[in-house]
Amino acid sequence: MALWAQMTPQLQFLSTQILNELYPDTFPLDVRHYLASWIEEQKWENFDVDNMEQEPQARRLLDQMVHLLQEVAQHNPNVVERVKLQHISRNLSVFQQQPMQLVRTVRDILRKERHLLTQGMQSNFPPFQQIPQGPPATNGTPQPAREDGKTDVDNLVLKVLEIQNCRQTLHQLQEDLNWEKQEMESMQGQNELDPQHSDLVTRQNRIQQLEFNYSVCAKKRMQLLQEAVCALELCQASLILRIKSWRWEQHRATIGLHFDDNLGPLQTWCEQLLGVNSNLRQELMLVKRDHGVVEQFHTLQESLAHVLQTLIQNSLVVDKQPPQVIKTQSKFSTTVRYLLGEKMAPGKPVLLKAQIITEAQARQGVVPNENVGELINSTAILEHNTASKSTCATFRNMSIRKIKRADRKGSESVTEEKFALLFTTELTITGCESPYTIQTISLPVVVIVHGSQEINAMATIIWDCAFSEPDRVPFVVPERVPWKKMCEALSSKFMSEVQTQRCLDRYNLHFLAQKIFDQPDINEDFSNMPVSWAQFNKEVLPGRNFTFWQWFEGVMDLTKKCLRDYWSEGLIFGFIGKQHLHVILQNKPNGTFLLRFSDSEIGGITIAYVGPSDNGGRKIQNIQPFTKKDLDSAGLGDRIRDINCITHVYPDLPKNEVFKKFFTVPSPPNPDGYLPFKLTTVVNPGDQRSSTANIPPDTPMDMFGQPMPTVYGPNMNPAIFSPLPQSTPPYMPEQMSGQGPLYQSPMQQAPSSEEIDMEALEGILSSFCQNTNKDLN
């Protein structure tokens, strides 16, 4: 009884709405109060409410509950309470047909009580807050809690049971009324009794009472039907919202966001609502049989028919999407699942047809007459899998033979044109007379004819997945988005593609902003600056022959295939411009180096190191970037080992200790007598073409390789426009959210940009050393 003892003092702080939600009509507050000890002693959580083998145990609990409640009523001195408890005990018979509903109801009540008490402790009673409705979606839109749908369905089932119980009561009243009238006629026929005879009067009064009870029960029956239909509409609206949310999460998974692809709970929800709809339609027909066409009959009938059609049509989903970039004449597969598959009428197989449609046709929402492409193997049968309890049509060897392009506007490319696959079928649901035509479409796809178009086509898909809105008109996307949204998309896609837990930190992202906007001013706040689709993948970068996305995709591909472990362990600085190297390396001895992605070549990684200059000073040199082809012939670790002019990885760690795990073990002699050979990387440090300006001794340098005192123009305040890295992106978060243990930027612990000096910079960058030391230890 400990739980109820804690709960009782808090009831006064709960709103009427929460109390009604917590203790429904089928299990009122009185039962919880009088049977508190017994209720809390039972093992409600040990039940599997979907396991019918436990139903006898649930029925025993129901019988015990009714018996205990009757005992409490019998010994209650308050007449009003005694009558009320007896009435409640009789009403518990609503659970007789489905005793597992009692278990579910009591279990959920106890869970909600614990939740409310926990919430109250956190907020120091009073007041309670409303029970939460579920986590926010990735785009900030709240989603309905998944357990709420189950609770709503359970309440609907109880409502149907109550209607059925009311119908049975009416049937019993009608039988009693028929009997009493027959006895009345028999007594009147005898002509022996005076009309005022006591027996005759008593029977007349009984008939009047039965007729009154019948009238009240009939009205309650219709009221319950109306309430049930309304509740069904609300519950189904929540279901359809959740299906749309599932599709939206599936869409966003393209850029690496989390997606739970389990459709089992949604299928169960669909099947339960179909069952409730069927029961309500049956009860409505029985109302017509018993009372004729009563008021609201046609309204309820139309509502149920509309709800049924909506459910049947929204239960077709694309379980496994086709590739979103499809090359003509190439095979691909996709799977479509019907969530009401177990309820389809047996007999004729259900054939699902696929066709490709344009963006304009997708907006029309109807099956188009015009074919814009020729699909091979475009039909599949909906087949039920008993083991997984799923009904799916799998298109295993589909192919686009040819495609008809729409007229393009201006500079629009074929890789910007979006299509979709439309799936249609006609089926009949058990218990429904007429067949239903249903359809669903895939996520947008881009059709290409040559592999060279794939990267640009993927840019169209990434932009669509990252920046489209839920419930949009197909397939509308904004032309411009704030840079902070682009940051989220780039970091998420990078982590997903490379399969790493290390995200792009704010300094990486700031360099990317400088690159896409062509603005080297490191103090610029880019977070709300709009970036356009043209800047993303139509306009080439200044001084280059490739777009931003082509370059970024090349880095992802190289990292995924050759450098994943280097990146994940924090051995690669990442995205950093040449002008930043002076700040990082200017006080380091000769031979100190770091790894960074090339910003001048697609899919390249380069080594920047400190070397001697001709005048006895030092200079920073950049080794020609290594591409995937280079690293396939000799790995990065071996190349670092071979290059003699680099000795210590930044800040001062011996390269052979840091990278030894990546060195290739020498091959043993071949059994045929041939001597093995190996490729060796040689760098000529005297090549002046690879060097930046010399670093004068004892002169602080800015990020552009200029002496510090001369960096500021006449209108620039050094206290505001600091050239040091800390001031690079003060507006960005330290890391992108929710992605596990992340790489710590060597500049994340920096002091204020207004007070930073070169000694402080050394302290900031030393965290890179600490990160690398962890790997060594």
Side-chain angles (χ1 to χ4, degrees), residues 9 17 27 39 45 106 174 234 266 276 287 296 347 383 429 449 459 502 693 759 776:
Q17 179 183 355
F27 196 90
I39 288 173
E45 293 290 346
V106 178
Q174 185 64 58
L234 293 174
L266 290 179
V276 169
V287 168
Q296 299 295 324
E383 298 177 306
I429 297 295
V449 297
R502 178 187 168 190
E759 292 182 2
L776 292 175

Side-chain angles (χ1 to χ4, degrees), residues 55-345:
E55 193 169 284
Q57 184 180 351
R59 184 167 279 108
R60 284 195 296 272
L61 286 176
L62 172 60
D63 293 340
Q64 290 179 36
M65 183 178 292
V66 171
H67 176 71
L68 289 172
L69 204 58
Q70 289 174 345
E71 281 192 351
V72 170
Q74 184 178 355
H75 294 91
N76 196 311
N78 188 312
V79 177
V80 176
E81 281 293 303
R82 183 163 63 245
V83 173
K84 182 179 180 182
L85 289 174
Q86 290 173 346
H87 179 72
I88 291 174
S89 67
R90 287 194 297 271
N91 285 347
L92 286 176
S93 63
V94 71
F95 293 108
Q96 283 293 344
Q97 296 182 26
Q98 295 191 27
M100 298 300 280
Q101 289 291 342
L102 172 69
V103 174
R104 182 182 284 110
T105 300
V106 178
R107 181 200 64 187
D108 290 347
I109 288 174
L110 296 176
R111 287 178 179 178
K112 290 178 181 178
E113 287 179 350
R114 294 187 191 100
H115 171 80
L116 287 169
L117 287 171
T118 302
Q119 187 185 57
M121 292 173 185
Q122 293 172 351
S123 59
N124 299 321
F125 288 118
F128 279 97
Q129 301 295 320
Q130 190 169 358
I131 298 173
Q133 296 298 307
T138 53
N139 64 345
T141 304
Q143 301 178 27
R146 300 192 184 191
E147 283 297 322
D148 286 355
K150 188 173 182 62
T151 303
D152 291 342
V153 173
D154 293 342
N155 291 336
L156 267 174
V157 171
L158 291 176
K159 185 74 73 175
V160 172
L161 290 174
E162 195 173 356
I163 294 171
Q164 293 171 343
N165 189 44
C166 189
R167 169 170 51 82
Q168 292 168 1
T169 301
L170 277 172
H171 182 71
Q172 183 63 47
L173 287 171
Q174 185 64 58
E175 288 185 343
D176 293 345
L177 191 58
N178 293 341
W179 172 258
E180 293 294 338
K181 286 182 178 180
Q182 180 179 336
E183 290 296 307
M184 180 74 172
E185 291 175 359
S186 175
M187 293 175 64
Q188 289 175 339
Q190 294 176 4
N191 294 320
E192 296 177 357
L193 295 178
D194 183 273
Q196 302 299 321
H197 192 277
S198 59
D199 289 345
L200 189 60
V201 171
T202 300
R203 198 167 295 276
Q204 287 175 336
N205 291 337
R206 189 179 303 167
I207 291 174
Q208 290 176 355
Q209 184 63 47
L210 286 172
E211 288 177 338
F212 175 78
N213 292 345
Y214 186 91
S215 175
V216 170
C217 195
K219 289 180 180 178
K220 180 182 179 182
R221 182 185 186 185
M222 283 304 301
Q223 181 182 353
L224 288 173
L225 264 172
Q226 293 175 17
E227 292 175 357
V229 172
C230 182
L232 175 61
E233 290 174 333
L234 293 174
C235 185
Q236 185 166 301
S238 298
L239 166 64
I240 293 175
L241 180 63
R242 181 61 200 128
I243 292 175
K244 289 181 178 179
S245 178
W246 185 91
R247 287 172 173 153
W248 173 245
E249 292 168 7
Q250 185 189 49
H251 189 195
R252 299 276 286 173
T254 304
I255 58 170
L257 298 181
H258 174 72
F259 169 54
D260 180 5
D261 62 354
N262 181 20
L263 281 168
L266 290 179
Q267 176 171 311
T268 301
W269 196 349
C270 288
E271 292 170 346
Q272 289 175 329
L273 290 190
L274 181 66
V276 169
N277 193 300
S278 176
N279 288 334
L280 290 178
R281 284 185 288 119
Q282 180 180 353
E283 290 300 321
L284 194 59
M285 289 298 103
L286 292 175
V287 168
K288 183 180 179 181
R289 180 201 67 181
D290 296 339
H291 310 292
V293 180
V294 297
E295 186 181 1
Q296 299 295 324
F297 175 84
H298 290 301
T299 302
L300 293 176
Q301 190 177 43
E302 291 173 0
S303 296
L304 286 173
H306 174 72
V307 168
L308 177 63
Q309 181 177 2
T310 303
L311 177 64
I312 291 172
Q313 291 177 339
N314 281 274
S315 297
L316 188 67
V317 296
V318 182
D319 188 5
K320 305 298 180 185
Q321 292 284 341
Q324 289 191 261
V325 176
I326 303 175
K327 184 176 177 291
T328 56
Q329 311 295 334
S330 298
K331 292 181 181 179
F332 64 91
S333 63
T334 182
T335 301
V336 179
R337 179 168 172 174
Y338 192 51
L339 301 180
L340 292 175
E342 291 191 334
K343 308 300 179 181
M344 293 191 308

Side-chain angles (χ1 to χ4, degrees), residues 424-686:
T424 59
T425 189
E426 185 178 86
L427 52 78
T428 302
I429 297 295
T430 302
C432 301
E433 298 178 357
S434 304
Y436 292 85
T437 299
I438 59 176
Q439 64 185 49
T440 190
I441 66 171
S442 71
L443 295 177
V445 302
V446 176
V447 181
I448 61 175
V449 297
H450 194 276
S452 62
Q453 299 172 313
E454 183 173 358
I455 294 177
N456 290 334
M458 184 52 68
T460 300
I461 295 302
I462 295 298
W463 187 276
D464 183 272
C465 294
F467 309 125
S468 60
E469 297 292 337
D471 293 326
R472 61 171 173 174
V473 175
F475 297 109
V476 175
V477 286
E479 185 64 25
R480 297 175 182 274
V481 295
W483 171 249
K484 58 187 175 184
K485 283 192 174 183
M486 177 67 77
C487 288
E488 297 171 3
L490 292 177
S491 187
S492 177
K493 182 61 178 176
F494 188 93
M495 294 176 66
S496 172
E497 194 73 17
V498 176
Q499 296 181 358
T500 179
Q501 291 299 309
R502 178 187 168 190
C503 71
L504 303 181
D505 64 27
R506 57 177 179 163
Y507 297 96
N508 292 150
L509 294 168
H510 189 80
F511 171 74
L512 295 178
Q514 291 177 313
K515 192 171 187 68
I516 200 170
F517 292 119
D518 189 27
Q519 294 188 16
D521 182 358
I522 63 174
N523 295 284
E524 182 69 43
D525 182 347
F526 293 109
S527 60
N528 293 314
M529 185 175 291
V531 57
S532 68
W533 160 249
Q535 290 171 306
F536 183 67
N537 196 54
K538 284 184 75 71
E539 301 169 353
V540 297
L541 294 170
R544 311 295 183 210
N545 61 353
F546 46 79
T547 67
F548 175 86
W549 169 255
Q550 291 167 352
W551 169 76
F552 185 79
E553 196 280 338
V555 171
M556 285 196 304
D557 187 65
L558 175 72
T559 309
K560 175 178 68 174
K561 295 177 179 177
C562 304
L563 305 173
R564 179 185 294 119
D565 292 341
Y566 295 87
W567 171 264
S568 298
E569 295 182 20
L571 301 178
I572 300 175
F573 249 68
F575 299 98
I576 181 172
K578 289 182 180 179
Q579 64 269 32
H580 295 68
L581 297 176
H582 285 275
V583 177
I584 297 173
L585 297 175
Q586 62 181 324
N587 292 325
K588 293 299 174 183
N590 292 341
T592 304
F593 72 97
L594 57 81
L595 302 173
R596 69 180 184 88
F597 296 125
S598 171
D599 64 345
S600 61
E601 185 169 339
I602 293 180
I605 187 167
T606 185
I607 300 174
Y609 73 97
V610 181
S613 64
D614 294 338
N615 61 4
R618 292 171 297 121
K619 62 183 177 183
I620 295 177
Q621 303 225 99
N622 291 277
I623 297 174
Q624 178 179 328
F626 300 111
T627 64
K628 178 182 178 298
K629 182 178 179 181
D630 299 324
L631 299 180
D632 284 342
S633 59
L636 182 60
D638 291 340
R639 292 183 181 275
I640 291 173
R641 178 189 58 193
D642 294 342
I643 300 173
N644 294 325
C645 56
I646 58 174
T647 58
H648 290 74
V649 65
Y650 179 88
D652 56 4
L653 301 175
K655 68 176 184 180
N656 289 338
E657 294 183 16
V658 175
F659 292 95
K660 63 183 178 181
K661 62 185 291 187
F662 300 104
F663 295 163
T664 301
V665 178
S667 303
N670 291 330
D672 54 9
Y674 288 107
L675 295 176
F677 73 92
K678 70 170 184 175
L679 297 176
T680 302
T681 304
V682 178
V683 172
N684 178 16

Side-chain angles (χ1 to χ4, degrees), residues 359-380:
E359 182 173 341
Q361 290 173 331
R363 293 177 185 175
Q364 295 172 2
V366 296
V367 180
N369 296 323
E370 179 187 6
N371 279 331
V372 297
E374 183 179 348
L375 281 177
I376 301 174
N377 300 322
S378 59
T379 60

